[in-house]
Amino acid sequence: MKRHLLTLVGLLLAMLVQAQDVRLDYCRNTIAGNGEGAVFSKTGSKKNMNCAIYLPADRLKSYVGCQLSAVMGGLPDVDDANMPQALTGWIRVDSLGGEPVAVSESSAAVRGWNTLRLTTPYTITGEEQGIYVGFFFYQEKALKCISLAGPKDGNGCFIGTDGKIKYNGATLDGSVAVRAVLEGNVPTRDLALSDVERGSRAYRLGEDIMVVGNVENHAATAATNPVIKATVNGVPACTYTVETTVRQDDAIPFRLNVPTSMLTEECLAEVTLSLEWADGQTDELAADNKASVTTDVLQDVAHRKMIVEEGTGTWCGWCVRGYVGLKYMKQYYCDRFIGIGVHDGDEFVYEPYDAWIKPFLNGYPGSRINRLYGSDPNYNALEQALMAMDEVGEVNVDVQAKLDGDMLFMQADVRKTLTTDSKYRIAFVVLEDSVLTNQKNYYEGGGSGAMDGFENLSSPCQIYMNDIARYISNPVGDVMPTELAKGETGRMMRSVDLTTIGKNKVTRYEMMSVVALVIDDTTGEILNGQVTEDLNADLDVTAIRGVDAGSPARSGYYDLQGRRLTQAPAHGIFISNGKKILK
């Protein structure tokens, strides 16, 4: 479910007349390292940049007549060389490219919150299409790492002085945050549900649905033991008491296991939460006291695997880190993880696969996780990615293989378990384990820290390499011959003569395995995968047609995250035919 983009945080001001203000923002009380937000990270010198949040019209209507009086800019705890020199707050109405309707005086930047009082407050009329609230900063040196705390959405963005959004993407370490200070006739009693999300996209029939979120207090009046009531498709399911006093600025997390005993067949379940004051008082802004999530309740649930395609090479001394990472994940998460070593510039390179993945890597070792985003393949990063991944997928896949002399026949059966519009591609990957090779090792001697014993080995060192990608039928996958509806199964069959795949030939067939990848035809995301080491399946090999083992064409356009684009972008950086293109 799309996360709520606004959280409202209030505080009582000590003023000559006791007035209150409300803060509209994208973060709680922390500055650095919280949330996943739109980011800007750019090298270079002397950068004039803006950071902003967007206040949509539907939320502004609750504050008609109130004044935006200040901008609060939160900066991370970074070293002095990466701190902005000064900040200037501003307000823009309806358009990022317009002139500011209000600005603050320039103020020296400090770590943490910077309050930038506007010289002329802006009064909300309710006629605005939206308001951008942000601050300008001048960066003498290259930006090391600055990101916007909060949800990754277009409403939180970095913009340049030309008013254009520069980049939306994954979170980097450290963050900046923006709050808009609102004064006037603001609420005194205002609880809210925020960041309400389902635990998974599907649950088995009879299984509790997990819902998580926060109870926040946006106003001055504290709430003792507020109550959350849950319904499933309109039927009361459970009541949960937040056993604490929720004070102004608080964000109290909760986790509900909502029973589904009222459901007797597969359906789309809507879980609706309602937040109430325990003393029966009325909330002054009740619109944010309800939240809903939807999830499929199914007889059959697909279990998704995390597929890691690692860029590596025996010439790369740091790549032993990826070797250790894949080994660790296979050892502890073999039922949820598949690792594929895509080699570059060594005796194990399969050039079509190497050429496909290389534009998506920032260096070696590097990896793609389900072709959604890149990651260093160290075991900590991979384990964290697995823990954050939804275990439920939209398809199950079963792979079978039969080896007949040098001919390898492969078959994938794909069963769709969720109702989606997705079309699928299938790619078959042939892996080999336990191949003796010489690996360069930059962890020799322990000067770079411990690395699963590699610190005690020389460079180069002899190791038995695993997960070597000897062949892939097509890096982007071949389109399945039939579209699938929920509950339907489709089949893809391919074969390959293992003597024709080039110099990267399998050396020992008994150490070979076959992976089938199910790829979303639109986004390029790997939706699921399965691996088999059994090469003696009873397959009808006469029905399996061969595939050219040459270099498959990599058609289409992709962004730097590996997502397929419908057309070439008019501006920016994208990938086409295995090359990065800048417009």
Side-chain angles (χ1 to χ4, degrees), residues 214-241:
N214 293 306
V215 173
E216 298 184 352
N217 192 341
H218 300 160
T221 306
T224 302
N225 300 336
V227 173
I228 301 173
K229 294 182 178 179
T231 64
V232 178
N233 290 349
V235 179
C238 65
T239 298
Y240 172 78
T241 300

Short mmCIF file of all heavy atoms in Angstrom, two decimals, residues 214-241:
data_model
loop_
_atom_site.label_atom_id
_atom_site.label_comp_id
_atom_site.label_asym_id
_atom_site.label_seq_id
_atom_site.Cartn_x
_atom_site.Cartn_y
_atom_site.Cartn_z
N ASN A 214 2.01 3.22 12.76
CA ASN A 214 2.30 4.07 13.91
C ASN A 214 1.04 4.81 14.34
O ASN A 214 0.19 5.15 13.51
CB ASN A 214 3.36 5.12 13.56
CG ASN A 214 4.72 4.52 13.29
OD1 ASN A 214 5.26 3.77 14.10
ND2 ASN A 214 5.28 4.84 12.15
N VAL A 215 0.94 5.05 15.65
CA VAL A 215 -0.04 5.98 16.20
C VAL A 215 0.71 7.24 16.57
O VAL A 215 1.67 7.22 17.34
CB VAL A 215 -0.74 5.40 17.45
CG1 VAL A 215 -1.63 6.45 18.09
CG2 VAL A 215 -1.55 4.17 17.08
N GLU A 216 0.26 8.37 15.99
CA GLU A 216 0.94 9.63 16.21
C GLU A 216 0.01 10.63 16.88
O GLU A 216 -1.21 10.56 16.72
CB GLU A 216 1.44 10.22 14.89
CG GLU A 216 2.44 9.34 14.18
CD GLU A 216 2.99 9.98 12.93
OE1 GLU A 216 2.47 11.04 12.54
OE2 GLU A 216 3.93 9.43 12.34
N ASN A 217 0.61 11.55 17.61
CA ASN A 217 -0.13 12.65 18.22
C ASN A 217 0.37 13.95 17.61
O ASN A 217 1.53 14.32 17.77
CB ASN A 217 0.06 12.67 19.73
CG ASN A 217 -0.92 13.62 20.41
OD1 ASN A 217 -1.49 14.49 19.78
ND2 ASN A 217 -1.11 13.45 21.72
N HIS A 218 -0.52 14.64 16.91
CA HIS A 218 -0.12 15.85 16.19
C HIS A 218 -0.42 17.13 16.95
O HIS A 218 -0.13 18.21 16.46
CB HIS A 218 -0.85 15.91 14.85
CG HIS A 218 -0.56 14.76 13.96
ND1 HIS A 218 -1.38 14.40 12.91
CD2 HIS A 218 0.45 13.86 13.97
CE1 HIS A 218 -0.88 13.34 12.31
NE2 HIS A 218 0.23 13.00 12.93
N ALA A 219 -1.06 17.02 18.09
CA ALA A 219 -1.50 18.23 18.80
C ALA A 219 -1.07 18.16 20.25
O ALA A 219 -0.37 17.25 20.68
CB ALA A 219 -3.02 18.38 18.67
N ALA A 220 -1.52 19.14 21.03
CA ALA A 220 -0.99 19.34 22.38
C ALA A 220 -1.57 18.39 23.41
O ALA A 220 -0.94 18.11 24.43
CB ALA A 220 -1.24 20.78 22.82
N THR A 221 -2.79 17.89 23.21
CA THR A 221 -3.45 17.06 24.21
C THR A 221 -2.96 15.62 24.15
O THR A 221 -3.06 14.97 23.10
CB THR A 221 -4.97 17.08 24.03
OG1 THR A 221 -5.42 18.43 24.02
CG2 THR A 221 -5.66 16.30 25.13
N ALA A 222 -2.42 15.11 25.26
CA ALA A 222 -1.93 13.74 25.31
C ALA A 222 -3.09 12.76 25.31
O ALA A 222 -4.18 13.05 25.80
CB ALA A 222 -1.06 13.53 26.55
N ALA A 223 -2.86 11.57 24.72
CA ALA A 223 -3.89 10.52 24.65
C ALA A 223 -3.40 9.31 25.41
O ALA A 223 -2.34 8.76 25.11
CB ALA A 223 -4.18 10.16 23.19
N THR A 224 -4.18 8.86 26.39
CA THR A 224 -3.83 7.68 27.19
C THR A 224 -4.56 6.45 26.67
O THR A 224 -5.78 6.45 26.53
CB THR A 224 -4.18 7.91 28.67
OG1 THR A 224 -3.48 9.07 29.14
CG2 THR A 224 -3.78 6.71 29.51
N ASN A 225 -3.80 5.43 26.35
CA ASN A 225 -4.33 4.13 25.91
C ASN A 225 -5.34 4.24 24.77
O ASN A 225 -6.47 3.74 24.85
CB ASN A 225 -4.99 3.39 27.09
CG ASN A 225 -4.01 3.12 28.21
OD1 ASN A 225 -2.81 3.06 28.00
ND2 ASN A 225 -4.53 2.98 29.42
N PRO A 226 -4.99 4.89 23.66
CA PRO A 226 -5.92 4.92 22.53
C PRO A 226 -6.16 3.51 22.00
O PRO A 226 -5.37 2.59 22.23
CB PRO A 226 -5.19 5.79 21.50
CG PRO A 226 -3.75 5.73 21.89
CD PRO A 226 -3.71 5.58 23.37
N VAL A 227 -7.26 3.37 21.26
CA VAL A 227 -7.73 2.05 20.83
C VAL A 227 -7.76 1.99 19.30
O VAL A 227 -8.18 2.93 18.63
CB VAL A 227 -9.14 1.77 21.39
CG1 VAL A 227 -9.71 0.49 20.81
CG2 VAL A 227 -9.09 1.69 22.91
N ILE A 228 -7.30 0.86 18.77
CA ILE A 228 -7.39 0.59 17.33
C ILE A 228 -8.37 -0.55 17.12
O ILE A 228 -8.22 -1.63 17.71
CB ILE A 228 -6.02 0.21 16.73
CG1 ILE A 228 -5.00 1.32 16.95
CG2 ILE A 228 -6.15 -0.11 15.24
CD1 ILE A 228 -3.59 0.94 16.53
N LYS A 229 -9.39 -0.33 16.29
CA LYS A 229 -10.35 -1.37 15.95
C LYS A 229 -10.13 -1.78 14.50
O LYS A 229 -9.96 -0.94 13.63
CB LYS A 229 -11.78 -0.88 16.16
CG LYS A 229 -12.11 -0.59 17.63
CD LYS A 229 -13.56 -0.14 17.80
CE LYS A 229 -13.88 0.10 19.27
NZ LYS A 229 -15.28 0.55 19.46
N ALA A 230 -10.15 -3.10 14.26
CA ALA A 230 -9.90 -3.63 12.92
C ALA A 230 -11.11 -4.39 12.41
O ALA A 230 -11.75 -5.14 13.15
CB ALA A 230 -8.69 -4.55 12.93
N THR A 231 -11.43 -4.18 11.14
CA THR A 231 -12.46 -4.97 10.46
C THR A 231 -11.83 -5.62 9.23
O THR A 231 -10.86 -5.10 8.67
CB THR A 231 -13.65 -4.11 10.02
OG1 THR A 231 -13.21 -3.14 9.05
CG2 THR A 231 -14.27 -3.39 11.20
N VAL A 232 -12.39 -6.75 8.81
CA VAL A 232 -11.97 -7.42 7.58
C VAL A 232 -13.19 -7.52 6.68
O VAL A 232 -14.18 -8.16 7.04
CB VAL A 232 -11.39 -8.82 7.87
CG1 VAL A 232 -11.01 -9.51 6.56
CG2 VAL A 232 -10.18 -8.72 8.79
N ASN A 233 -13.13 -6.85 5.55
CA ASN A 233 -14.27 -6.77 4.62
C ASN A 233 -15.54 -6.34 5.34
O ASN A 233 -16.64 -6.87 5.10
CB ASN A 233 -14.47 -8.09 3.89
CG ASN A 233 -13.36 -8.36 2.88
OD1 ASN A 233 -12.55 -7.48 2.59
ND2 ASN A 233 -13.32 -9.57 2.35
N GLY A 234 -15.39 -5.37 6.26
CA GLY A 234 -16.52 -4.80 6.97
C GLY A 234 -16.96 -5.57 8.21
O GLY A 234 -17.81 -5.08 8.96
N VAL A 235 -16.36 -6.73 8.47
CA VAL A 235 -16.73 -7.54 9.64
C VAL A 235 -15.75 -7.28 10.77
O VAL A 235 -14.53 -7.38 10.56
CB VAL A 235 -16.74 -9.04 9.29
CG1 VAL A 235 -17.10 -9.89 10.50
CG2 VAL A 235 -17.70 -9.31 8.13
N PRO A 236 -16.22 -6.94 12.00
CA PRO A 236 -15.30 -6.71 13.12
C PRO A 236 -14.39 -7.90 13.33
O PRO A 236 -14.83 -9.05 13.34
CB PRO A 236 -16.24 -6.48 14.31
CG PRO A 236 -17.50 -5.97 13.69
CD PRO A 236 -17.63 -6.70 12.38
N ALA A 237 -13.10 -7.61 13.53
CA ALA A 237 -12.12 -8.69 13.66
C ALA A 237 -11.40 -8.67 15.00
O ALA A 237 -11.24 -9.71 15.64
CB ALA A 237 -11.11 -8.61 12.53
N CYS A 238 -10.95 -7.49 15.46
CA CYS A 238 -10.23 -7.43 16.73
C CYS A 238 -10.12 -5.99 17.19
O CYS A 238 -10.34 -5.05 16.42
CB CYS A 238 -8.84 -8.05 16.62
SG CYS A 238 -7.71 -7.16 15.53
N THR A 239 -9.79 -5.81 18.47
CA THR A 239 -9.55 -4.50 19.08
C THR A 239 -8.21 -4.55 19.79
O THR A 239 -7.89 -5.51 20.48
CB THR A 239 -10.66 -4.15 20.08
OG1 THR A 239 -11.91 -4.09 19.39
CG2 THR A 239 -10.39 -2.80 20.73
N TYR A 240 -7.43 -3.49 19.59
CA TYR A 240 -6.08 -3.44 20.14
C TYR A 240 -5.92 -2.14 20.91
O TYR A 240 -6.26 -1.06 20.40
CB TYR A 240 -5.06 -3.53 19.01
CG TYR A 240 -3.63 -3.30 19.42
CD1 TYR A 240 -2.89 -4.29 20.06
CD2 TYR A 240 -2.99 -2.08 19.15
CE1 TYR A 240 -1.58 -4.08 20.42
CE2 TYR A 240 -1.67 -1.86 19.49
CZ TYR A 240 -0.96 -2.87 20.13
OH TYR A 240 0.34 -2.67 20.49
N THR A 241 -5.42 -2.23 22.14
CA THR A 241 -5.18 -1.05 22.96
C THR A 241 -3.70 -0.70 22.95
O THR A 241 -2.84 -1.55 23.21
CB THR A 241 -5.63 -1.29 24.41
OG1 THR A 241 -7.03 -1.58 24.42
CG2 THR A 241 -5.39 -0.05 25.27
#
